[in-house]
Amino acid sequence: MQYQNRLDFAQQLDEQDTLKAFRNKFLIPQYNGRDAIYLCGNSLGLQPVAAKDYLSDQLTNWQKLGVEGWFEGNDPWLSYHKKLTPILSAIVGAHEKEVSVMNSLTVNLHLLMVSFYKPTTKRYKILIEGGAFPSDQYALDSQVRFHGFDPKDAIIEIFPRSGEYTLRTEDILDAIKNNADELALVLFSGINYYTGQFFDIEAITKAAHDVGVIAGFDLAHAAGNVPLKLHDWGVDFACWCSYKYMNSGPGGISGIFVHEKHFNEDHNRFAGWWGYRKDKQFLMAPGFEAEPGAEGWQVSTPPIMLMALHKASLDIFEEAGGVSVLRAKSEVLTGYLEFLINEINLKKGKELFKIITPKEPGKRGGQLSVVCAGDAKGIFNYLTQNGVIGDWREPNVIRLSPVPLYSSFTDVFYAGQLLVGSVENI
Ligand SMILES: *Cc1c(COP(=O)(O)O)cnc(C)c1O
């Protein structure tokens, strides 16, 4: 598309936007009596207007039914998750049986590693992208120690080539090949939180499998943001959170994926009664027998209120036509932001804002990570003081993420104007 740095151009794109009505389904934070420019859906998605009703319905069920709510009412809690998994499995490209809604993200990463990180004295290493989200680093570190290995030796981080910000797929695949004899697991994010790079999940999975290694993914920044085909790509396991691109609210419930090829294996797990085979769960018998499928990894009684909040947003995803529809707008929206940022550099004759996120739309999601020359924190504060909500990552990166469900082209246009203002005013 031939972008233009003009308000009427942005307004025209908004008018043609077939998803424009979806913005009204979200509560936009207010700034000085108008909508803030919210570019932070990669950190915490906005609240669906309907969230209150979804929550209130379950509070009413609890009020009226008490414990009978598990079995009675419109949404018996015992099967409430079954109303989420069809939409969620479409979002991540999985069969319904391969997806389970449970716990929080880091907890799920641990639970999945208990089953899928099976180190031996020869093959015990984990390969991960350098600069992964800290919680994942801590989780891997502690898992490796738990098995008696030294993280310094057992965790292989791969970094971009010197002078580059993102990893080349060929370097990832080479690293897998070169360490094949010692690897027990390849664990990557789908999209790196810092750079916004969308990794080639299919190629990484295939390279791991070619050398007999399990491939797992943390999809915190990918789920609900980019189309995924976890089943077809043969991914062994994955987990994600729902409060970023999936708008389920702070600390919202997480989800896991386990490929069906692993259903009939005998897994190590940290088990709990909610993962017990459903037909016999309430016999309360000794000796754990897992429910077949991803639900067998559940541990505890599900938090129905969190599921209700998750469902409020999932229903909007379904109504919008799914991730592929959102993605089409997301690419144009992100492309427009990129264009406006590059225009500033062109006009000012120097690279004031360096976008470190890959240029190719297929290698990124909705987020642009921008390294600021000069007073980066001052620029970020200027944006905040003028109603742009992005987020800050040390030492000098601003992450901006327009979200197709509720961000407009006009939002992006004004964000561009304020970036110009920031360099002229500080
Ligand atoms: C957001 C994020 C987390 C957060 O984990 P929680 O357990 O939900 O606090 C973990 N890993 C990655 C890659 C993330 O982006």
Side-chain angles (χ1 to χ4, degrees), residues 72-86:
E72 308 285 332
N74 308 332
D75 293 318
W77 298 327
L78 214 48
S79 55
Y80 192 77
H81 61 283
K82 290 199 189 302
K83 299 195 167 184
L84 281 70
T85 38

Side-chain angles (χ1 to χ4, degrees), residues 104-107 133 135-136 189 193 218 220-221 241 243-244:
S104 356
L105 172 52
T106 312
V107 172
F133 194 86
S135 198
D136 300 43
S189 23
Y193 82 103
D218 182 330
H221 283 264
C241 54
Y243 52 81
K244 291 173 180 164

Side-chain angles (χ1 to χ4, degrees), residues 42-43 103-109 129 132-137 188-194 218-222 239-244 251-254 393 399:
N42 59 334
S43 189
N103 308 318
S104 356
L105 172 52
T106 312
V107 172
N108 284 338
L109 185 57
E129 89 258 28
F133 194 86
S135 198
D136 300 43
Q137 294 186 34
F188 253 69
S189 23
I191 292 183
N192 179 271
Y193 82 103
Y194 193 86
D218 182 330
L219 303 172
H221 283 264
C239 46
W240 53 84
C241 54
S242 61
Y243 52 81
K244 291 173 180 164
I253 194 162
S254 162
R393 284 289 169 260
R399 300 186 304 173

